[in-house]
């Protein structure tokens, strides 16, 4: 027998052994884990950023635009607008280039510093925040310039 035939024979023996354990009740089945989903609610942030009352807990809650209270929905609408507009600015500045998480190339995020009262950027190689990531220093710098000048308002 060659090396591969030995490996196949060993695997076949292991499968046979596992099947015996399974049928003997030695192996317990694992229940699937139910993943968290947003609770949703009767208040939704619509596609225009308006908070509207809705009359059901439909599947739209999975996208994360529904909230239990109107106040929660109103706060979420402000943050969704800010994130979506920053994402749109990134897409305009970076075009079709995308961040490559498979390499240690630099990635950039922009953020507002309340201490310094302005927009700045930071670079990362492997940390993926829940943030808008820019592909190069030039686009991140330009986004900060546009935000700090008031040309772009989130």
């Amino acid at each position: 027998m060659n090396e591969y035939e030995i490996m196949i024979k060993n695997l076949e023996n292991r499968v046979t052994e596992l099947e015996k354990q399974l049928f003997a009740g030695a192996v317990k089945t694992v229940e699937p884990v139910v993943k968290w989903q947003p609770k949703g609610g009767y208040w939704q942030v619509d596609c225009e950023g308006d908070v509207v009352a809705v009359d059901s807990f439909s599947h739209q809650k999975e996208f994360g635009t529904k909230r239990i209270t109107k106040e929660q929905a109103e706060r979420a609408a402000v943050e969704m607008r800010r994130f979506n507009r920053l994402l749109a600015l990134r897409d305009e500045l970076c075009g079709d280039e995308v961040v490559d998480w498979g390499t240690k190339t630099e990635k950039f995020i922009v953020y507002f510093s309340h201490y310094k009262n302005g927009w700045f950027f930071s670079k990362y190689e492997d940390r993926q925040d829940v943030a808008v990531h820019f592909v190069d220093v030039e686009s991140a710098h330009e986004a900060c310039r546009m935000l700090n000048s008031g040309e772009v308002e989130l």
Side-chain angles (χ1 to χ4, degrees), residues 94-113:
C94 296
D96 288 334
E97 290 186 68
V98 295
V99 171
D100 182 0
W101 293 104
T103 66
K104 283 194 137 194
T105 59
E106 294 177 335
K107 294 103 173 138
F108 300 86
I109 63 167
V110 300
Y111 64 92
F112 185 81
S113 169

Side-chain angles (χ1 to χ4, degrees), residues 62-119:
E62 293 176 11
F63 194 68
T65 58
K66 288 189 170 191
R67 298 293 185 276
I68 294 172
T69 67
K70 183 177 183 182
E71 292 75 19
Q72 288 175 341
E74 288 171 342
R75 285 192 308 268
V78 170
E79 292 184 46
M80 287 177 192
R81 180 183 192 274
R82 185 180 305 133
F83 185 83
N84 289 339
R85 288 179 61 86
L86 186 56
L87 193 58
L89 178 60
R90 188 277 316 267
D91 290 346
E92 287 182 21
L93 294 174
C94 296
D96 288 334
E97 290 186 68
V98 295
V99 171
D100 182 0
W101 293 104
T103 66
K104 283 194 137 194
T105 59
E106 294 177 335
K107 294 103 173 138
F108 300 86
I109 63 167
V110 300
Y111 64 92
F112 185 81
S113 169
H114 291 277
Y115 178 73
K116 295 179 181 178
N117 197 33
W119 288 91

Side-chain angles (χ1 to χ4, degrees), residues 133-144:
H133 295 84
F134 290 77
V135 296
D136 54 42
V137 67
E138 293 82 13
S139 59
H141 184 269
E142 179 63 7
C144 290

